[in-house]
Amino acid sequence: MEPITIGLIGIAVLIVIFLLGLPVGFAMALVGFVGFCLVVTPSAALSLLPREFFETFSSYSLSVIPMFVFMGSIAFVSGMSGRLFNAAYILFGRMRGGLAMASIAATAGFSAICGSTSATAAAMGKVAIPEMNRYGYNRGFAAGCIAAAGGLGILIPPSTIFIIYGILVQESIGKLFISGVVPGILLALVFIGTVFIMCRINPNLGPAGGETTWRQKIMGLTGVIEMLIIFGLVLGGLFAGIFSPTQAGAAGATAAIIIGLVRRQLPFSAFWAAIKDTLQITAMIMIVVGGAMVFGKFMAVSQIPMFISNFIGELPISPMGVMGLIILMYILAGCFMDSLALIMLTIPILFPLVTKMGFDPIWFGVIIVMVTNIGVITPPVGINVFVIKGVVPDVPIASIFKGTLPFLAGMILVTALILIFPQIATWLPSFASY
Amino acid sequence: METQATQRQRVAEPYGFIHRLEKYINKLSFWLNCIAGAGLIGMLLLVVADIIGIKLFRSPIPGAIETVAFLGVVVIGFAVAYTQVLHGHIRVDFIVMKFPPKFAAIIDVLMLIMGMSLFVILTWYSFEYAQVIRASGEVSMTQRIPFYPFVYGMAFCFGVTFLVLLVEFIKSLIRIGTVWNR
C-alpha cells in the first residue's frame, strides 16, 4: 500500500477512535505507532515510541507548561479571581449590565495570569455568576457571558495554546504571547460593548448593581495591582528578553505564591490543591503532546502534509480563500473536538501549506486561537459551556449555549478584523526582542 | 449445603479482589503523584535560583537547564498514572454517552484494550530503551547526570498506568455482565 493511502486511513481511524472515547493522546500515539510500523518498519516504530515520549517529557522548552499552569492554579486557589472581580465591579457595577461588564473585565485580568480557557471560565464563573444571580440577571445570559469570556484565557498571555503552537511550528513563544495582547483587549472591549448593547435593548437581562463605599473602592484596587505585578513581571520580562518562557513562568508562579502568602490566602491545603491541579493538567497536556509527536512522525513519513499542501496549492483558489476554508474547517471541527487535540492533529498537516502561501506564522497562531475560542462555546462539545454548567447546575445547558450567542457574534467580528487587518496581531510582537 | 451468605461471599470474592487491587494501585499512583509534586517544587526552585544567580550574581547554576529537563520527566511521567485514576486524560465522550448501555459498555472495553496495548508496548520498550541508554553510558553535558534512571522511572510509571487501565478493564467487563443480565 502507498504511504499516502496508509496516512489517509490512519487519519480516518484516528477520528473514529477519538469519537469512540479513547483518550486523545493515547489514540494519537497508537495510530501513529501502527502507521509508522506499516510505512517504515515495526522495529523502527518500537524504538520511536518510547523515545518520542521521553524527549517530550524531558524537553526544556516544554517545561514552560507546568510553570504557567502552576502560576494560574496558585492565582485561582489564593482567591485572585475574586479580588479582580471586586476591582472591576467598582468600575462598572452601577451601570445597567455592569456586573456582566465587570465580569468580562475581571476575566480579561485573570487571563493575564492564567493560560487556560476552561480554568479561566471556572475561576470567574464561581465568583461572578452568584453575584449576577443575586442582582436578578438573566441566568442564561450571565452564564453564557462567562463561558464566552473564558476564551480570553488563551488569547491574553500566558496561553497554553500559544505554547503548544509555538513548539509545533518552532516560533518564539514570547512573540506569540505578545501577539495575543491587542486582540485580547479588543475582544474584551467587544464583549463589554455587546453587554452594553444587549442591556440597552433588554434592561431585564442585567439590572444595575449596588453602590460601593470608598473603603471598598480602595480595597478593590489592590486586586488590580497584584495582577499587574504578575503580568508585568511575566510579559515585561519576555518582552525585554530578560526571561526565557520557562523562567517567566517560574517568576510569575513565585510572585503568585508570595502574594498569596503575604495576603494569608494560601494555606498549605490550597497550595497542595494547586500542585495537584498543575500535575494533572500538565500530565494530560504532555500525553497529548507525546502522542502528537508520534502521530506527527507517522504523518511525515506518509507524506500527507506535502500531499495536502500540493493538492490545495494547485486548486484555483486565492490564498485568502484557502485561509477561509481552513478557518471554516477549524470552526466545524472545533464543535466536536477538544481545542488542544485539534491543534495537535491539524497544525503539523496544515502548517506547511500556510507558510507556502506566505502567511505570517504569528498571525496564523492568533487566528487559530480565535477560532479555537469559537469552538469552546459551540455545541455539542463546547467545553466552557460544560464547565459553567458545573458551576451553575440548575441552568439548562441550552440556555447557556443561547446566552453565548451574542458573544459568538463578537468573536466572529474580531476574527474577521484580524483577518482584514493582520497588524492587530503582528504590530506589538514586532517590537519584542525574544 | 451452601448457605445464602456463603453463596453471596463466593460471588463477591472476585469483586473484593478487584476492589483491593484497585485500592493498592490507586495508592501507588497517588504516591507517584506526590513524587511528581516534589519534582514540580524542585523545578520551580531551581529555575528561580538560576534566575537569581544570573541576574544578581552573574553566575548561572551549572547544568540548570538539563536538570530542569530531567525534572520534567519526574513531573510529567510520575503524574500520568494518577491522572488516569482521576480520568483526567482528555477524551471525547459525548457520542459514547448517547449509545445504548450494552453497546457503550462494549465500546468502553474495546477502547480500554487499545489503551492497555499502547501502555504495554510503552512500558516494555521504555525498559528496553533504558537498557540501551545505560549500556551506551549516555550522560548530560554539564552535570554528567546519566539518562537511564529517568527512562527506567518513566517505564515504571507507564507500567503503573497500564495497571490502572487493567483495573478499569476488569471493572468494565463486570459492568458488561451486569448490563447483559439486566
Side-chain angles (χ1 to χ4, degrees):
Chain A
M1 217 188 303
E2 286 288 305
I4 287 182
T5 318
I6 299 174
L8 291 173
I9 294 172
I11 294 175
V13 171
L14 180 67
I15 292 170
V16 171
I17 58 175
F18 258 167
L19 298 178
L20 290 180
L22 187 66
V24 172
F26 300 4
M28 286 173 125
L30 194 62
V31 173
F33 167 73
V34 175
F36 207 84
C37 277
L38 296 173
V39 177
V40 189
T41 59
S43 64
L46 286 169
S47 82
L48 172 90
L49 193 65
R51 211 179 50 231
E52 286 298 327
F53 273 94
F54 184 71
E55 279 174 11
T56 303
F57 291 1
S58 62
S59 152
Y60 178 75
S61 47
L62 281 167
S63 62
V64 60
I65 291 178
M67 292 295 102
F68 276 114
V69 173
F70 196 34
M71 180 173 109
S73 296
I74 292 282
F76 176 52
V77 297
S78 61
M80 281 191 196
S81 45
R83 294 196 288 275
L84 277 168
F85 176 77
N86 290 341
Y89 178 74
I90 290 162
L91 199 63
F92 296 105
R94 288 185 60 198
M95 293 166 74
R96 203 184 284 167
L99 275 170
M101 292 182 203
S103 307
I104 292 163
T107 308
F110 194 68
S111 302
I113 31 180
C114 180
S116 144
T117 161
S118 46
T120 303
M124 290 317 302
K126 280 177 196 158
V127 177
I129 296 178
E131 283 297 308
M132 287 196 263
N133 289 345
R134 201 155 65 86
Y135 281 95
Y137 270 56
N138 177 298
R139 307 203 67 183
F141 176 70
C145 157
I146 302 291
L152 292 167
I154 50 167
L155 188 57
I156 295 177
S159 154
T160 45
I161 298 290
F162 274 142
I163 295 172
I164 297 289
Y165 174 83
I167 287 164
L168 282 177
V169 307
Q170 297 181 340
E171 268 298 328
S172 152
I173 292 170
K175 279 193 176 175
L176 280 164
F177 273 8
I178 290 154
S179 70
V181 173
V182 178
I185 293 170
L186 181 64
L187 186 62
L189 290 175
V190 168
F191 281 170
I192 289 174
T194 308
V195 171
F196 182 80
I197 295 168
M198 297 277 297
C199 292
R200 285 277 135 189
I201 298 169
N202 181 2
N204 292 332
L205 280 179
E211 281 203 41
T212 47
T213 61
W214 274 104
R215 188 180 146 74
Q216 282 172 316
K217 283 187 174 70
I218 292 163
M219 291 301 286
L221 271 179
T222 59
V224 181
I225 292 167
E226 63 189 30
M227 180 274 286
L228 287 177
I229 291 173
I230 298 177
F231 187 68
L233 183 70
V234 170
L235 251 256
L238 276 175
F239 199 84
I242 299 169
F243 293 145
S244 72
T246 302
Q247 290 174 331
T254 309
I257 292 171
I258 292 170
I259 290 169
L261 289 174
V262 169
R263 280 188 170 271
R264 295 173 186 274
Q265 298 277 334
L266 193 60
F268 184 75
S269 57
F271 184 65
W272 176 236
I275 289 179
K276 263 173 63 180
D277 210 31
T278 306
L279 292 175
Q280 268 51 82
I281 293 173
T282 307
M284 178 272 279
I285 294 176
M286 295 307 221
I287 283 288
V288 177
V289 176
M293 291 298 170
V294 178
F295 186 75
K297 287 282 187 305
F298 162 48
M299 284 290 102
V301 292
S302 68
Q303 298 171 340
I304 291 276
M306 220 165 72
F307 167 73
I308 290 182
S309 170
N310 289 339
F311 175 74
I312 296 181
E314 282 165 17
L315 291 177
I317 310 173
S318 69
M320 221 40 187
V322 175
M323 185 51 68
L325 286 177
I326 291 176
I327 290 172
L328 192 67
M329 184 280 292
Y330 270 101
I331 292 175
L332 290 177
C335 294
F336 299 95
M337 266 176 81
D338 174 81
S339 53
L340 181 67
L342 181 61
I343 286 172
M344 282 289 178
L345 176 67
T346 53
I347 292 295
I349 301 173
L350 290 176
F351 191 70
L353 172 68
V354 172
T355 44
K356 193 179 168 188
M357 289 187 305
F359 289 112
D360 183 330
I362 299 273
W363 170 82
F364 184 61
V366 176
I367 290 287
I368 289 293
V369 168
M370 284 305 301
V371 288
T372 298
N373 270 338
I374 293 174
V376 299
I377 53 163
T378 42
V381 192
I383 180 81
N384 275 12
V385 172
F386 290 103
V387 166
I388 293 297
K389 170 78 180 163
V391 178
V392 276
D394 54 320
V395 182
I397 206 102
S399 303
I400 310 179
F401 272 121
K402 203 176 143 203
T404 61
L405 279 179
F407 302 99
L408 187 62
M411 280 183 185
I412 293 170
L413 172 73
V414 174
T415 311
L417 283 174
I418 300 170
L419 271 174
I420 301 165
F421 306 107
Q423 298 84 347
I424 296 173
T426 57
W427 173 73
L428 203 53
S430 64
F431 298 102
S433 55
Y434 187 82
Chain B
M1 224 171 72
E2 228 175 6
T3 62
Q4 231 178 354
T6 42
Q7 256 180 7
R8 257 204 308 271
Q9 197 185 352
R10 195 164 53 84
V11 175
E13 197 65 10
Y15 296 169
F17 169 71
I18 296 303
H19 287 311
R20 275 202 303 279
L21 184 67
E22 186 180 21
K23 213 174 90 182
Y24 292 135
I25 291 170
N26 287 2
K27 202 165 259 180
L28 178 60
S29 310
F30 175 78
W31 285 113
L32 291 179
N33 205 50
C34 292
I35 297 174
L40 178 70
I41 296 170
M43 187 191 262
L44 181 71
L45 291 175
L46 183 60
V47 178
V48 172
D50 191 39
I51 297 174
I52 294 171
I54 295 169
K55 306 298 171 200
L56 294 187
F57 306 107
R58 292 180 183 275
S59 68
I61 292 176
I65 290 183
E66 61 194 36
T67 314
V68 167
F70 282 133
L71 282 172
V73 182
V74 178
V75 172
I76 303 154
F78 283 65
V80 171
Y82 195 63
T83 306
Q84 181 58 36
V85 170
L86 300 176
H87 294 278
H89 291 292
I90 41 166
R91 52 187 288 239
V92 179
D93 54 4
F94 75 100
I95 293 181
V96 180
M97 277 159 62
K98 291 198 166 48
F99 287 159
K102 280 183 187 173
F103 190 52
I106 294 172
I107 293 291
D108 203 27
V109 166
L110 287 177
M111 292 304 121
L112 282 165
I113 291 174
M114 284 192 189
M116 286 192 308
S117 316
L118 174 71
F119 277 90
V120 162
I121 301 168
L122 265 174
T123 309
W124 191 279
Y125 284 90
S126 297
F127 272 118
E128 288 218 340
Y129 180 48
Q131 277 164 353
V132 171
I133 287 191
R134 188 181 183 176
S136 72
E138 203 173 325
V139 290
S140 68
M141 297 235 300
T142 318
Q143 291 282 8
R144 310 204 63 74
I145 304 168
F147 276 68
Y148 75 88
F150 295 94
V151 188
Y152 274 124
M154 182 181 85
F156 178 73
C157 295
F158 283 154
V160 177
T161 312
F162 166 76
L163 292 177
V164 174
L165 289 168
L166 180 70
V167 169
E168 281 182 35
F169 172 72
I170 298 170
K171 280 169 69 185
S172 52
L173 281 183
I174 296 169
R175 202 160 43 242
I176 285 194
T178 324
V179 171
W180 236 261
N181 288 336
R182 215 177 272 162

